[in-house]
Amino acid sequence: MIKNEISSVAIYPPIGIARIGNSSEYFMASEVPGVAPDPEGGYKDADGRVKKQVVRYRVYAFNEAGEVLGEITAKEATIQWHIEVANIKAAWYQFNNALDLPQAGIPSAYRNEKVTDDDRKQLAITPSPVQISGTSIQDEKNSFADGKFYGTPVNLGHVETDEVGRLLFFPGNGDAQSKDNKPAITFANNDGWHDDTCDGVIRATVHIGDTVLEATPAMVAVTPPNFGPGLFGVITMNDVVQDLFIREMGYPNPSADGVVFWDHIYPILGRMTETQWVNQGFFMLFGKNSPSDFTNTTLLKTLQDPSDQSANERERVFNWFRDPDSTEYTPTKVPPFYGDGFGEYEKIALVDLPITRTQYQRLKKWAQGDFTTGKPVVPTPFSEQTLDEQLHSLNQAPLEECLGGPFHPGIELTWPMRIKRMWEKPYRLNVVDKGEATRLDFGPLLSPAIALGADGPLSKSGPGSLTRWLGVPWQTDEASCLSGYDTSTYLPLPSFWAARVPNQVLSEQSYLRMQDGDVNIAQRLKHFDYRQDWLRDFGSNYQKKINLMISEWHELGIIAKAEDEIPNNKEGYLPDVSWKESDRHFTGGDPTFEQVIYAEKEDIPALESVKESGLLRKGIAPERTRARRTFRRDER
């Protein structure tokens, strides 16, 4: 890289996703689309606490033609980072539904509307900006800990730099509290409550010799943990924004030169099947041993064939999918997810979630045989990518791991991301000027017309502007929006956010019995087919459930990938790869696993041999904690 060729610099990723955790340990967010982080030792630490997901920000240099010249680090320049974040959920408007919905948007009043005038400033958590420069900087002073909610400090995280001066953003611990010690009562708009999610603007001033350049800024969003790492939404946030960019902003369509099965079709189909690990309905319809298992080699051979011989099967699968332009109510179509309008409306198109228009058009061409097969996608490690490939990856990877709906309100980012006004250009948001606060007051009611207007809240993004649309606290929304609300239906479908907030899962115990080659295959299949509710430890009372989620979210299991060899599986009925519930730390909530083993292996004494064999799940809380939790549950 020749320094005198540098015309501009920019921060990547343009939008980074950090995820809260209550552990001091952490792992780096993935920088390659469709590739999950792989933290050493798993997603929880030795004490059962959830590790934080940290975002790494880089600076790239460009010439006058806009061509990337390379990454700039402390070896070539002095980089002064400036970061400003906020959590303004409690000072914002209530969530009713997405305000961009045709025929739908419901005007919203303020959250905490009884708090008026200057007192509302106490609702916004706005810590001081942090500036940091240098290499390997780890200092407590670089934290966002001086913002307050009604006078109580709330730590929204901190920043460090790595060995070459890149910025590392560390999120908060996942705390949520009520200022009045009142229980939460609803999914999204709990007055008096706050959490420690946040978002904000990342800036950098780059000094190269006598030249000073202001980098194109980026943003960070701090979101809840990913309880299904390695599983991706059938519709990701990257699908949603790329659809917008292609249709309205001149972004080059990756399928413009032709639809390729493995690039454009298989991700939709394969993720339908992968959702089997977090929802029983998906397991029954698209999972292992189902006729519509899209990972089945025989079915795949047919679906990737563009000849007329496979046309009927391709057309059959295409006809399952919901047309995003249809106004008809089509509950039997797929994907089987609730839509943005669920809860406020009945028997209209908005009640169910469609794929994007771009996805649908690709599927249509595929069904017609207008595609090539290509080859299965093998991601290139970030360090082996070209500079252009690195920028492509950093644009898309953070949004690929975020869900693209339903936005009611959502988990990580939500409906404003699909509005053109939000964006300066593809993947780069319009942001406020340095030092400019995020506007909070748009009148007593935030209507669709105001929200979508030229001077409305979507015109510029600043500290707190991305996460303010989401539920407060985040835990109540996650414990509320699950699956199968109509219990008269055959399967627990539709679902909300199963890839991030699991519904029914393969437990550690079921996985162990499925793996045991000494158990007959029929019995092993029973264990494989037995799925348990992920939130089973929180009971069925709604208010108790959402409040237990606030206090004990970190005890829940992570649905993580397991690739242990499956013995005695010559029939192929059992999966080679599973996502199983791991590191769940509740006690007393399971069926007696010891009885299961005793019934299946009479020669094993029930309890002590199980403990000695190491079959019991690891990470059980110590006796003192176990006794405390048992007492608390008896109290409830």
Side-chain angles (χ1 to χ4, degrees):
M1 179 170 57
I2 302 174
K3 293 180 180 179
N4 61 13
E5 290 184 359
I6 297 174
S7 175
S8 63
V9 292
I11 302 170
Y12 284 82
I15 303 172
I17 302 296
R19 294 184 184 271
I20 57 178
N22 62 333
S23 173
S24 59
E25 296 183 27
Y26 66 93
F27 57 89
M28 303 307 301
S30 174
E31 295 178 321
V32 179
V35 176
D38 187 22
E40 184 177 353
Y43 292 89
K44 289 189 177 183
D45 65 20
D47 294 319
R49 294 172 297 199
V50 176
K51 297 178 184 177
K52 303 177 191 295
Q53 177 170 301
V54 172
V55 184
R56 173 170 43 214
Y57 288 92
R58 305 167 184 259
V59 175
Y60 283 84
F62 299 83
N63 63 19
E64 287 187 2
E67 298 166 331
V68 60
L69 300 174
E71 183 185 358
I72 293 179
T73 68
K75 297 176 183 178
E76 297 86 23
T78 298
I79 305 173
Q80 295 176 322
W81 298 95
H82 181 280
I83 311 97
E84 188 170 6
V85 299
N87 176 320
I88 56 176
K89 287 183 180 181
W92 191 236
Y93 294 84
Q94 295 179 357
F95 173 79
N96 291 312
N97 65 4
L99 292 174
D100 67 330
L101 294 182
Q103 66 186 297
I106 301 172
S108 298
Y110 292 118
R111 286 174 174 153
N112 298 284
E113 61 181 339
K114 293 182 180 179
V115 181
T116 59
D117 302 327
D118 283 348
D119 287 342
R120 291 193 65 82
K121 294 178 181 178
Q122 299 183 83
L123 299 169
I125 305 167
T126 54
S128 303
V130 169
Q131 297 189 71
I132 184 172
S133 183
T135 59
S136 302
I137 304 297
Q138 300 176 5
D139 194 320
E140 291 183 0
K141 72 179 183 181
N142 297 314
S143 69
F144 304 97
D146 62 351
K148 297 179 180 179
F149 187 82
Y150 276 93
T152 300
V154 179
N155 191 342
L156 299 183
H158 74 278
V159 290
E160 299 179 4
T161 60
D162 70 7
E163 67 280 2
V164 293
R166 302 182 186 110
L167 180 73
L168 306 179
F169 190 100
F170 289 73
N173 296 324
D175 296 330
Q177 291 181 343
S178 162
K179 73 177 183 66
D180 303 313
N181 293 318
K182 292 181 178 180
I185 59 173
T186 186
F187 75 104
N189 302 305
N190 288 288
D191 283 353
W193 279 85
H194 73 274
D195 62 30
D196 60 358
T197 60
C198 68
D199 64 90
V201 184
I202 311 291
R203 303 180 193 273
T205 303
V206 180
H207 298 258
I208 307 174
D210 295 331
T211 303
V212 179
L213 297 167
E214 293 295 330
T216 302
M219 292 200 72
V220 64
V222 173
T223 76
N226 180 352
F227 289 104
L231 299 175
F232 295 88
V234 177
I235 307 140
T236 69
M237 183 59 80
N238 191 49
D239 291 323
V240 170
V241 301
Q242 196 173 97
D243 176 68
L244 168 70
F245 301 156
I246 290 169
R247 292 188 299 105
E248 299 188 34
M249 301 180 70
Y251 186 77
N253 188 339
S255 60
D257 294 331
V259 171
V260 180
F261 175 80
W262 285 104
D263 292 349
H264 308 125
I265 305 303
Y266 182 74
I268 302 172
L269 304 181
R271 289 170 184 181
M272 293 268 283
T273 288
E274 287 174 352
T275 307
Q276 69 175 301
W277 304 112
V278 283
N279 179 275
Q280 188 178 29
F282 276 86
F283 171 56
M284 291 291 289
L285 294 177
F286 310 110
K288 180 69 176 177
N289 302 321
S290 160
S292 300
D293 173 3
F294 292 117
T295 62
N296 179 277
T297 53
T298 301
L299 179 58
L300 272 175
K301 186 176 180 180
T302 300
L303 297 180
Q304 65 183 294
D305 176 15
S307 73
D308 292 343
Q309 187 176 353
S310 302
N312 287 342
E313 187 68 11
R314 296 196 311 269
E315 190 70 25
R316 182 180 72 89
V317 172
F318 170 69
N319 286 335
W320 290 349
F321 282 86
R322 195 170 288 117
D323 183 347
D325 286 317
S326 173
T327 58
E328 294 183 23
Y329 174 55
T330 54
T332 59
K333 296 280 190 177
V334 299
F337 292 108
Y338 293 111
D340 294 352
F342 178 78
E344 282 78 38
Y345 304 95
E346 293 184 358
K347 297 184 178 180
I348 64 172
L350 295 174
V351 172
D352 298 299
L353 186 70
I355 56 178
T356 70
R357 291 179 176 90
T358 299
Q359 287 177 308
Y360 190 78
Q361 289 304 313
R362 290 169 179 169
L363 281 171
K364 188 174 183 178
K365 288 185 176 182
W366 165 74
Q368 295 168 346
D370 184 10
F371 73 100
T372 56
T373 301
K375 295 181 180 180
V377 177
V378 179
T380 303
F382 188 84
S383 61
E384 299 175 16
Q385 295 181 8
T386 67
L387 290 173
D388 284 324
E389 288 172 340
Q390 287 183 0
L391 300 189
H392 178 83
S393 287
L394 292 171
N395 280 339
Q396 299 193 53
L399 301 181
E400 190 76 0
E401 76 167 37
C402 295
L403 297 182
F407 297 139
H408 197 272
I411 292 297
E412 298 116 342
L413 301 168
T414 186
W415 64 270
M417 302 293 285
R418 64 189 176 199
I419 305 301
K420 181 180 178 182
R421 194 179 302 281
M422 287 278 288
W423 300 93
E424 176 187 350
K425 58 184 180 180
Y427 291 105
R428 193 72 67 170
L429 292 164
N430 284 313
V431 300
V432 298
D433 294 333
K434 190 173 183 179
E436 182 181 349
T438 301
R439 183 180 170 187
L440 293 172
D441 185 2
F442 290 87
L445 284 178
L446 184 65
S447 66
I450 294 173
L452 302 173
D455 296 321
L458 306 186
S459 58
K460 284 188 178 181
S461 295
S465 65
L466 300 180
T467 55
R468 61 183 167 181
W469 305 95
L470 299 168
V472 56
W474 65 266
Q475 294 96 329
T476 57
D477 198 17
E478 293 206 357
S480 299
C481 297
L482 303 171
S483 68
Y485 288 103
D486 182 353
T487 55
S488 69
T489 58
Y490 179 61
L491 297 172
L493 289 171
S495 176
F496 262 94
W497 306 309
R500 295 291 161 267
V501 185
N503 306 147
Q504 298 85 31
V505 300
L506 181 68
S507 70
E508 183 87 20
Q509 295 90 333
S510 291
Y511 178 79
L512 289 171
R513 303 314 294 147
M514 176 195 81
Q515 265 205 319
D516 193 332
D518 294 332
V519 177
N520 71 72
I521 188 62
Q523 186 71 359
R524 293 168 74 189
L525 278 168
K526 285 184 180 180
H527 288 292
F528 172 57
D529 292 343
Y530 177 51
R531 302 301 163 93
Q532 292 184 275
D533 284 342
W534 182 61
L535 291 178
R536 58 193 179 277
D537 297 281
F538 293 165
S540 58
N541 178 279
Y542 176 69
Q543 189 166 338
K544 284 186 177 180
K545 178 183 289 187
I546 62 175
N547 283 279
L548 282 170
M549 183 69 173
I550 293 171
S551 61
E552 300 188 23
W553 61 269
H554 51 280
E555 308 283 16
L556 290 162
I558 306 292
I559 315 307
K561 190 175 185 179
E563 297 183 85
D564 301 324
E565 183 177 349
I566 304 295
N568 296 342
N569 188 30
K570 60 183 179 181
E571 301 93 341
Y573 293 145
L574 299 173
D576 295 324
V577 178
S578 303
W579 267 260
K580 66 180 178 69
E581 184 181 47
S582 306
D583 294 318
R584 171 174 165 266
H585 289 278
F586 295 99
T587 60
D590 277 342
T592 53
F593 189 42
E594 299 83 6
Q595 290 178 351
V596 172
I597 298 178
Y598 187 65
E600 292 178 347
K601 292 186 175 183
E602 295 180 358
D603 59 327
I604 298 180
L607 184 57
E608 294 303 319
S609 293
V610 170
K611 290 181 178 178
E612 292 169 5
S613 69
L615 287 174
L616 284 177
R617 63 186 181 276
K618 298 179 180 179
I620 294 291
E623 289 298 327
R624 183 177 61 180
T625 305
R626 183 180 308 172
R628 174 177 59 82
R629 290 197 184 120
T630 302
F631 173 73
R632 287 177 59 196
R633 292 190 183 282
D634 289 344
E635 278 189 323
R636 289 194 290 269

